[in-house]
Amino acid sequence: QEGAQEGAKEGAEEGAEEGAAEAPAKEEVEVEFSPLRSLFDRREFEDMDKCLSYMRKTYDFVVPDREYCTDVEGVLRALWERITEPPHACLYCNRKFADPGSCRRHMLDKRHARIGTEAKTRTGGTDEAGSLELQGLLEDFYDFHGSTREVTERIQDPGEKAGCLHRFFDEDRDGHLDFSELSALWAAMAGGSCSSSGEEAPASEAAAEARPELSEAMYTAACGKVGADPKEGLDIKALTKLYAEAFADVHAHFTILQDLLAQKLRRRAEERRQATIEEGEDEDAEEDEDEDGEEEEEEEEE
């Protein structure tokens, strides 16, 4: 009897444990997508902009190149499905998980609550196929052919403007501006040097004031002003705070950024045009080789 009671007790405990383990997964499935709900927790808001602002402030999450995004809700839906539907992939490194909860915990623990373009293997190498998958995830939600002025005029919030500036100069896409990246921003906005992409910055009345180069001492002081670690650099939240603390006029800097973005788009268009030309030349060369091969076969038969 004691053995039977113990067996029944163990069975009940196992059943309870299984039920408890299944509960979170069931909860994840029951929650449907809403552009008003945070991707990383259960918070809901009365409009999408407030939701995006919350995720930016809480998790440093931003919709990349927002100025060119034609369907922000579509982007959020695609990201939501990537987390909540198999294979439950991290938005940043593309690592796969058994359930949405594990995926979210990983993103928050590793500070991966942002969109990446380079997938990683478990050993830290680059996963080429995964990288292509990440890069293609949001293609349908963007239009890089429109007028730069038209798309950037939609952005009025100082925090979003700071986010655009941060993304443009975050050369290594690690979510922080280190000394060299902030120096590139400082130089470009002074109407002199180059952006982190190596492009000539346009002259501007707003940036015409003579400014000294950003020294390491100035960089360290700027980090200290907003509570950032100089070794790590400034995240979007810190840069936004720095602008708010009179680091510079974010609206004037954003005006200059519009010209830099236009240059970037022209360069991309030229690269696409050149790639199309080279692709056509390769196809012509292959056709010539095929024709030569056919002629040789005919001569051998004769």
Side-chain angles (χ1 to χ4, degrees):
Q1 289 180 349
E2 288 180 3
Q5 288 176 352
E6 287 178 2
K9 184 178 179 182
E10 288 176 2
E13 288 176 349
E14 288 176 2
E17 288 175 358
E18 288 176 3
E22 290 173 1
K26 184 177 180 182
E27 185 181 1
E28 291 283 358
V29 171
E30 288 176 352
V31 176
E32 296 181 355
F33 166 75
S34 167
L36 310 183
R37 182 180 296 117
S38 166
L39 294 171
F40 309 107
D41 56 39
R42 300 290 180 179
R43 290 289 302 275
E44 289 192 47
F45 300 85
E46 59 187 25
D47 63 58
M48 187 169 63
D49 285 337
K50 288 185 178 179
C51 181
L52 288 168
S53 177
Y54 165 76
M55 289 192 287
R56 174 173 59 82
K57 293 175 181 176
T58 308
Y59 301 110
D60 290 332
F61 170 85
V62 293
V63 173
D65 295 323
R66 173 81 183 271
E67 55 272 24
Y68 297 105
C69 184
T70 57
D71 183 3
V72 175
E73 182 174 335
V75 169
L76 294 177
R77 179 182 290 277
L79 299 178
W80 175 269
E81 290 174 352
R82 193 163 184 79
I83 296 170
T84 60
E85 297 179 3
H88 310 297
C90 171
L91 302 180
Y92 183 73
C93 69
N94 207 42
R95 182 176 171 183
K96 313 297 193 296
F97 293 88
D99 56 75
S102 299
C103 183
R104 284 194 177 93
R105 283 192 294 274
H106 160 82
M107 287 192 288
L108 299 184
D109 290 344
K110 299 292 184 181
R111 299 183 69 178
H112 283 188
R114 47 201 166 99
I115 302 171
T117 56
E118 188 175 88
K120 298 292 184 181
T121 63
R122 285 188 174 271
T123 57
T126 301
D127 177 1
E128 297 294 344
S131 296
L132 289 174
E133 184 182 346
L134 280 174
Q135 292 164 18
L137 177 65
L138 306 178
E139 269 184 5
D140 293 341
F141 306 109
Y142 284 83
D143 177 16
F144 290 99
H145 298 94
S147 162
T148 304
R149 294 287 176 186
E150 287 177 8
V151 293
T152 52
E153 280 174 3
R154 303 175 198 156
I155 299 173
Q156 299 297 325
D157 178 65
E160 288 187 16
K161 290 184 176 183
C164 291
L165 286 156
H166 189 286
R167 288 190 296 277
F168 187 87
F169 288 94
D170 184 13
E171 191 72 21
D172 57 9
R173 296 290 183 266
D174 68 344
H176 294 81
L177 297 185
D178 60 18
F179 172 63
S180 64
E181 291 165 336
L182 190 65
S183 295
L185 184 157
W186 184 259
M189 296 304 131
S193 250
C194 295
S195 71
S196 61
S197 303
E199 297 178 17
E200 184 73 19
S204 163
E205 289 182 11
E209 297 177 13
R211 288 184 187 154
E213 287 186 7
L214 186 72
S215 66
E216 290 199 33
M218 291 168 65
Y219 167 74
T220 302
C223 289
K225 194 174 185 68
V226 293
D229 182 354
K231 293 180 181 178
E232 192 172 50
L234 300 166
D235 59 17
I236 290 177
K237 189 186 299 183
L239 184 65
T240 302
K241 186 176 179 182
L242 195 60
Y243 274 115
E245 302 252 344
F247 163 72
D249 183 348
V250 69
H251 303 293
H253 279 194
F254 189 71
T255 298
I256 299 172
L257 178 65
Q258 291 175 321
D259 294 321
L260 292 173
L261 286 167
Q263 292 177 17
K264 186 176 181 180
L265 286 181
R266 285 195 293 271
R267 192 186 74 243
R268 281 185 180 178
E270 178 58 28
E271 288 172 353
R272 283 196 297 268
R273 189 183 70 81
Q274 191 61 38
T276 302
I277 292 172
E278 291 174 359
E279 186 178 339
E281 290 174 350
D282 290 341
E283 289 177 358
D284 291 342
E286 288 176 6
E287 288 176 4
D288 290 341
E289 287 178 6
D290 291 340
E291 288 174 3
D292 291 342
E294 289 174 3
E295 288 176 1
E296 289 175 2
E297 287 177 8
E298 288 174 1
E299 289 175 1
E300 288 176 1
E301 288 175 2
E302 291 176 358

